[in-house]
Every structure is written in structure tokens, then in C-alpha cells.
Amino acid sequence: MDITVNLDGEFEKIVQFHSMLQNRSVPQQIEHWAKVGQIVENNPELSYNIIKEILSGIKDAKLGNIEEYKPIKL
């Protein structure tokens, strides 16, 4: 579903800046921040770095960039 959202001019500049840094479109950047915000609200004990790693892992799994974990034998 597509919706139109009016952003404050200053916030729009911030989103554009971050979207360029992350190689995302403006809508993708807003969606990313919304996902992070949702995860934070549902899991306040998680740090931002852990959330980034989780999202990165999910993205890798969707792209098929996974390999079987093989524990080290001591």
C-alpha cells in the first residue's frame, strides 16, 4: 500500500542525507528507520548495534548469503 506523507523540510534533508550514505532511496530510509523503531519498542533491552546485526542477518538470509555453522571441536 502506498501512502503520501508530508515531511518537515529539515527532516526531509536529514532523511535524504542518510539515504545517500546508506545507498537507499528516501522511502527505503524511512522504512528502515520505522523497522528499527518497531524493534526498539518491542525489544527495549536490545542495543542499536545488535538490531543492526539482526537486520543485516535477515537481509543476508533473504539473499541466500548463508552457510552452515560448524562448531569448533576442542
Side-chain angles (χ1 to χ4, degrees), residues 11-51:
F11 182 68
E12 185 177 351
K13 290 177 187 175
I14 293 168
V15 175
Q16 287 175 339
F17 175 76
H18 284 275
S19 69
M20 287 188 317
L21 289 177
Q22 301 295 325
N23 295 315
R24 296 183 181 115
S25 67
V26 168
Q28 288 172 329
Q29 184 64 40
I30 293 170
E31 287 176 10
H32 171 73
W33 282 345
K35 284 178 191 174
V36 171
Q38 184 179 22
I39 293 168
V40 168
E41 284 189 350
N42 292 332
N43 304 279
E45 72 283 358
L46 297 180
S47 71
Y48 177 65
N49 286 332
I50 291 173
I51 292 168

